[in-house]
Amino acid sequence: MTYIDPEIRAKAKAHGHPYASEEIIAAGYDLAAQVCQELQRAGLPAYIERPGVAKQPGAGVEVDTQGEYAGGLYVRWNAPELAEAGIQAVAERQDRAAPEWNRYAEVVLLMQKALIGILRLAGFSAVRAEEVDDIAEGDVYVHGADTRE
């Protein structure tokens, strides 16, 4: 299976943002499937995010395909109804501290802690994504190496 279209891969490389090898990306998708399985075993909806496919409620698992952490995963909690209500409240009131937005942000942070705990119990190396990428607030990062026995 080809994960990154060769033309897109060539353009990214020409612009100084090369993709990881297909083998590393394939290993990342294998890891993503294992992570989804463990989250589902714990009773949480989980799915692998794919380009062009709408986000679903629950844990969206995205494979990192570029950079030094390629092959690892970002796991983010998706609560579309809460997010929409928060965004709408902020936009209507022009207030970034709208209670609806704060509620959504708190749910994301609570779920970040829960996801880390669940994944660590299953033997994965999971950390707050901010430790790897300072703009990934609220996400969980699962390292490419599966430490389960």
Side-chain angles (χ1 to χ4, degrees):
M1 171 177 211
T2 301
Y3 291 94
I4 306 297
D5 177 88
E7 187 175 317
I8 292 172
R9 183 180 286 282
K11 286 180 182 178
K13 185 176 181 181
H15 289 95
H17 301 289
Y19 284 93
S21 70
E22 289 291 317
E23 293 79 17
I24 289 173
I25 295 171
Y29 276 97
D30 288 344
L31 180 61
Q34 293 171 20
V35 163
C36 285
Q37 180 182 18
E38 287 300 329
L39 293 174
Q40 290 164 355
R41 287 180 65 202
L44 298 174
Y47 64 96
I48 298 172
E49 292 184 358
R50 307 249 186 223
V53 177
K55 292 184 180 193
Q56 305 167 32
V61 181
E62 178 185 5
V63 177
D64 192 355
T65 58
Q66 294 177 295
E68 72 178 288
Y69 299 109
L73 313 173
Y74 288 97
V75 182
R76 64 186 50 88
W77 187 254
N78 296 311
E81 288 183 33
L82 281 178
E84 186 177 323
I87 292 168
Q88 184 176 357
V90 168
E92 286 175 0
R93 297 184 206 134
Q94 297 294 306
D95 177 13
R96 293 181 189 206
E100 296 88 345
W101 179 256
N102 288 337
R103 179 178 178 203
Y104 168 69
E106 284 297 317
V107 166
V108 168
L109 292 176
L110 287 168
M111 290 308 299
Q112 179 190 48
K113 291 175 187 172
L115 291 167
I116 289 170
I118 291 166
L119 292 171
R120 285 181 179 172
L121 280 172
F124 292 97
S125 177
V127 298
R128 292 172 45 249
E130 297 92 324
E131 294 178 21
V132 190
D133 180 351
D134 60 356
I135 62 169
E137 186 175 350
D139 292 355
V140 173
Y141 195 83
V142 179
H143 296 278
D146 183 356
T147 61
R148 296 183 301 164
E149 295 179 5

